[in-house]
Amino acid sequence: MDKIERIKELVKELNRHRDAYYNESRPTISDAEYDRLFDELRNLEEETGIIMSNSPTQTVGYEVKSELKKVIHSHPMLSLDKTKSEDDLIKFAGDKDCILSLKMDGLTVLLTYVDGKLVKAETRGDGEIGEDITHNARVFENIPMTIDCKSRFEIEGEAIITYDDFKIINNKLSENEKYKNPRNLVSGSVRQLDSGIAAKRHIKFIAWKVPMMEENNLSNSFLYRLNYARRLGFDTVPFFTYTNKSSDKENLSLIIESLKNSAKVNGYPIDGLVLTINDIQYGETLGMTGHHPRHSIAFKFYDEETETTLLDIEWSCGKTGQLTPVAIFDPVELEGTVVTHASVHNVSILTDLDLQIGDTITVYKANQIIPQIRENLSAKNRDVSYIKIPEYCPVCGEPTQIIKDNDTEVLVCTNPYCKGKLLGRLSHFVSKKGMDIDGLSEETLR
């Protein structure tokens, strides 16, 4: 067995025996056997220079911070451009060899080692400035505290909580305290001021990029760097190499399914895949936009979704007099743009979502374009529902009426001369689908 894998196996086994002995008063191994395994682990750590953060040979005291300090990254940590098309992946790769890997759904973290020791861990933040979470990284389950690399070494990855650990933690919480998904749980856990809390959350670090290696034989291969990180003791993201061979193109769907199955087997929360050009130097020559680098692209098989707070419901009037509810919420970034509102379409959907001011909602972009509300997280904890439907048109002040349209309830203005209806008709008339008249926007018409 590989020495690093043996270290990880010994750490896991010894911790299991320690837990049974100290926490359950149920010894599962003799003292002599425990000492033998302990000595084997210590000897392997000395031989390889690698010590895991949860190794029983280390006594880690928990640390409490008064605040998380801001840190400036050594390099930009930008988001990626996204697609839902396999054809786009093939087109992006072109004639270049690439790495197709899982896109982990957690909190991005950058680790820095100097002289083989972990000296800093920081969150991605806004891509330029993050937060120092070194005290918590030291209690992650699988981060090497020391590595066999004496030069400066940086590695990016995702702090995650597996689905199995997420269920165990969530099952101990009341209904009001439960987390919706592992991403929300790990995000709060990584940013705790008390590392003792983080230590109980079974946080893991899955490496997916080595941006810096200060050594004479610095490799230009993304694949080499991932394998090098694995040799240093890091758990790396599952991946496949992808080439411009016709077989890879024809089997792309199978490769994607295989990676998704790997995530399922490991209990990894994911929200897509990432395709990266293997030639690092070439990828860097492609440059970047203000939002994303051009050496990688994300393949999304789920819609990007985030939570926000509902601030208001406004009603817009169309050319037929139908009043459409529009949700106004705290600004959130979705698919690379800031979103502040989304159409709720009609009274039926408004009622089903039970939308009320102050609710916590989840929003996404349908087809990565149109903002939509996925779920109202506050509604499930509400005993009494009260939906406010305007009795008078917000445009003309005349009475409104709820009517049935194909089994759907819609709100309409009863005034045939409502200026909202007129504005809607005129806007439609001058639009590209109508007379295509330049210079007459809806605001000008208003």
Side-chain angles (χ1 to χ4, degrees):
M1 180 184 291
D2 178 86
K3 291 179 181 179
I4 295 176
E5 289 303 314
R6 179 56 177 165
I7 286 175
K8 292 180 179 180
E9 183 182 86
L10 286 169
V11 167
K12 185 176 181 180
E13 183 177 354
L14 286 168
N15 281 337
R16 185 173 68 249
H17 293 315
R18 286 207 310 174
D19 182 64
Y21 182 85
Y22 289 109
N23 298 325
E24 301 177 19
S25 299
R26 181 179 55 84
T28 52
I29 191 175
S30 68
D31 290 348
E33 179 63 12
Y34 182 91
D35 290 341
R36 186 189 69 78
L37 294 174
F38 188 90
D39 289 341
E40 180 187 355
L41 173 61
R42 184 162 53 191
N43 291 335
L44 281 172
E45 290 176 341
E46 292 176 356
E47 181 181 347
T48 62
I50 294 172
I51 302 175
M52 307 306 294
S53 56
N54 61 336
S55 171
T57 66
Q58 307 297 303
T59 302
V60 179
Y62 296 138
E63 195 173 346
V64 179
K65 298 285 188 180
S66 58
E67 63 177 358
L68 296 180
K69 294 182 179 179
K70 301 292 184 182
V71 289
I72 300 175
H73 301 317
S74 62
H75 61 277
M77 298 174 66
L78 302 180
S79 300
L80 298 179
D81 196 12
K82 302 174 182 67
T83 183
K84 286 189 174 182
S85 167
E86 291 184 17
D87 289 338
D88 285 345
L89 293 182
I90 295 173
K91 183 178 178 181
F92 175 88
D95 62 352
K96 301 297 182 183
D97 291 344
C98 295
I99 305 300
L100 185 63
S101 62
L102 292 177
K103 187 175 185 296
M104 310 301 289
D105 191 18
L107 191 71
T108 298
V109 172
L110 171 66
L111 304 179
T112 302
Y113 291 79
V114 176
D115 293 329
K117 297 180 180 179
L118 177 66
V119 296
K120 190 184 343 179
E122 54 203 86
T123 63
R124 175 182 174 271
D126 63 4
E128 297 288 343
I129 300 175
E131 292 175 319
D132 189 328
I133 51 124
T134 310
H135 66 300
N136 285 330
R138 296 185 188 281
V139 298
F140 284 13
E141 285 198 336
N142 64 338
I143 287 182
M145 299 301 292
T146 64
I147 58 176
D148 187 20
C149 177
K150 299 307 177 184
S151 57
R152 182 181 177 88
F153 179 81
E154 290 186 0
I155 187 165
E156 287 181 34
E158 204 84 355
I160 67 160
I161 293 175
T162 65
Y163 279 109
D164 286 344
D165 288 328
F166 171 72
K167 290 176 182 176
I168 292 172
I169 295 171
N170 236 17
N171 286 340
K172 296 177 181 178
L173 302 176
S174 66
E175 284 300 319
N176 292 336
E177 295 176 318
K178 289 185 185 298
Y179 290 86
K180 184 185 177 186
N181 52 51
R183 182 184 68 249
N184 290 355
L185 176 58
V186 75
S187 180
S189 301
V190 168
R191 300 182 67 256
Q192 289 288 331
L193 297 177
D194 183 353
S195 65
I197 298 176
K200 299 176 182 178
R201 301 289 174 83
H202 302 286
I203 304 169
K204 293 179 174 62
F205 176 81
I206 309 299
W208 39 255
K209 180 182 179 183
V210 179
M212 180 178 291
M213 293 166 55
E214 287 184 354
E215 54 181 22
N216 295 329
N217 60 337
L218 173 64
S219 173
N220 187 47
S221 165
F222 191 90
L223 175 60
Y224 172 87
R225 294 191 184 188
L226 270 183
N227 286 328
Y228 181 70
R230 186 179 293 172
R231 293 197 297 272
L232 291 177
F234 292 95
D235 288 337
T236 56
V237 63
F239 64 86
F240 273 95
T241 54
Y242 175 87
T243 69
N244 65 341
K245 295 178 182 178
S246 58
S247 58
D248 282 0
K249 295 177 182 178
E250 293 169 0
N251 294 320
L252 180 57
S253 295
L254 294 177
I255 293 173
I256 289 173
E257 287 305 312
S258 179
L259 282 170
K260 291 170 69 174
N261 185 61
S262 175
K264 185 176 181 180
V265 169
N266 288 287
Y268 290 160
I270 62 171
D271 62 351
L273 306 175
V274 176
L275 186 69
T276 300
I277 295 173
N278 186 52
D279 187 329
I280 296 173
Q281 188 174 5
Y282 172 77
E284 290 176 348
T285 65
L286 299 177
M288 61 182 66
T289 69
H291 173 258
H292 62 265
R294 293 191 173 97
H295 55 60
S296 302
I297 187 171
F299 177 72
K300 307 280 285 188
F301 33 77
Y302 308 125
D303 289 313
E304 185 175 321
E305 182 179 307
T306 189
E307 294 182 11
T308 186
T309 301
L310 183 65
L311 302 178
D312 198 5
I313 296 287
E314 296 182 353
W315 296 80
S316 64
C317 186
K319 64 181 185 293
T320 63
Q322 179 175 328
L323 293 165
T324 302
V326 178
I328 311 298
F329 43 77
D330 280 334
V332 291
E333 183 175 335
L334 285 173
E335 311 289 356
T337 61
V338 176
V339 179
T340 59
H341 59 278
S343 173
V344 188
H345 304 293
N346 53 57
V347 173
S348 292
I349 295 178
L350 178 70
T351 303
D352 289 342
L353 288 171
D354 192 14
L355 290 178
Q356 299 178 40
I357 308 304
D359 284 351
T360 299
I361 58 176
T362 59
V363 294
Y364 70 102
K365 276 188 177 180
N367 298 318
Q368 297 181 282
I369 299 174
I370 304 171
Q372 301 282 289
I373 296 176
R374 172 87 69 192
E375 186 180 4
N376 183 356
L377 302 178
S378 300
K380 62 183 179 181
N381 299 322
R382 190 151 43 223
D383 295 328
V384 179
S385 177
Y386 174 69
I387 305 296
K388 186 176 182 181
I389 307 295
E391 298 178 357
Y392 298 95
C393 174
V395 178
C396 68
E398 294 296 319
T400 60
Q401 180 183 3
I402 295 178
I403 63 172
K404 282 276 190 179
D405 182 13
N406 294 326
D407 295 325
T408 299
E409 288 189 334
V410 298
L411 186 68
V412 297
C413 173
T414 59
N415 177 14
Y417 306 107
C418 175
K419 289 185 178 181
K421 295 181 182 180
L422 177 58
L423 178 62
R425 291 198 297 270
L426 291 173
S427 296
H428 178 71
F429 179 78
V430 305
S431 69
K432 288 186 179 297
K433 293 182 179 179
M435 300 304 292
D436 193 14
I437 301 176
D438 289 335
L440 279 179
S441 66
E442 182 173 311
E443 191 58 36
T444 300
L445 290 169
R446 188 188 306 277

